[in-house]
Amino acid sequence: MKVILLQDVKSLGKKGDIVNVNDGYARNFILPKNLGVEANNKNLNELKLQKRKEDKIAQENLDAAKELAEKLQAGKVELSIKVGNGGKVFGSVSSKEIAQAVKEQMSLEIDKKKIQMKEAIKMPGIHEVPVKLHPKVTAKLKVVIAEEA
């Protein structure tokens, strides 16, 4: 019997897969536990429509991420860091502060977890910080760190 899986089933397949199983296994395990439905014409059509809808949503998310990446790369964020005598820096600039500055200066919402910094910025100057907006889209944000006496 062919079955469309509604959930991931260990050693059988992932959600949305069409698998061939024994009739007894389907009737006694998969169908009663709502892990899958019989692969008839109606259910195959529904699966096709659902996949098309998911693809459309994924494409919209990708387009939105690309648009946000263009806005981030076009602009820049300015922050200041305290510097003492002899150019000694006090503190650093973290991803949380960068995300807050983007929200205030550029009116864009980005999650601090998407800002990929290996470590906090501890030097004044111009820095390029990667921001991973989507698995396929990474933007370079220009961060200008000014000295504050």
Side-chain angles (χ1 to χ4, degrees), residues 10 20 23 33 42 44 90 108 116 125 144:
K10 192 174 182 177
N20 205 2
D23 290 353
K33 293 192 176 197
K42 178 185 171 222
L44 287 172
F90 298 107
L108 297 173
Q116 298 183 318
V144 180

Side-chain angles (χ1 to χ4, degrees), residues 59-70:
Q59 186 61 41
E60 288 174 358
N61 289 341
L62 179 63
D63 293 343
K66 285 181 180 178
E67 186 178 314
L68 182 58
E70 288 175 12

Side-chain angles (χ1 to χ4, degrees), residues 10-144:
K10 192 174 182 177
S11 75
L12 196 59
K14 299 211 176 275
K15 178 182 177 183
D17 288 351
I18 300 171
V19 293
N20 205 2
V21 295
N22 292 333
D23 290 353
Y25 185 60
R27 275 195 310 263
N28 295 323
F29 183 74
I30 293 177
L31 299 177
K33 293 192 176 197
N34 288 326
L35 298 175
V37 293
E38 188 178 348
N40 56 26
N41 287 338
K42 178 185 171 222
N43 292 336
L44 287 172
N45 258 351
E46 285 180 12
L47 176 68
K48 204 179 295 182
L49 290 173
Q50 185 179 357
K51 285 205 182 215
R52 205 174 296 149
K53 182 180 175 186
E54 288 172 0
D55 290 344
K56 183 180 176 188
I57 290 171
Q59 186 61 41
E60 288 174 358
N61 289 341
L62 179 63
D63 293 343
K66 285 181 180 178
E67 186 178 314
L68 182 58
E70 288 175 12
K71 289 179 184 176
L72 285 175
Q73 288 179 332
K76 66 180 179 181
V77 176
E78 295 179 5
L79 294 163
S80 59
I81 191 169
K82 249 188 170 171
V83 179
N85 294 340
K88 184 167 170 64
V89 177
F90 298 107
S92 61
V93 177
S94 66
S95 59
K96 180 180 178 183
E97 292 167 323
I98 293 173
Q100 186 68 32
V102 168
K103 184 176 180 180
E104 292 170 359
Q105 296 174 20
M106 299 176 75
S107 302
L108 297 173
E109 285 281 336
I110 57 170
D111 188 12
K112 69 178 184 178
K113 295 175 187 145
K114 293 183 178 186
I115 298 173
Q116 298 183 318
M117 295 176 23
K118 290 182 177 132
E119 55 187 45
I121 299 172
K122 297 179 182 177
M123 297 288 293
I126 299 172
H127 303 274
E128 289 214 342
V129 178
V131 181
K132 189 163 186 153
L133 302 169
H134 187 273
K136 297 179 183 176
V137 179
T138 303
K140 295 274 185 194
L141 175 64
K142 195 177 289 183
V143 180
V144 180

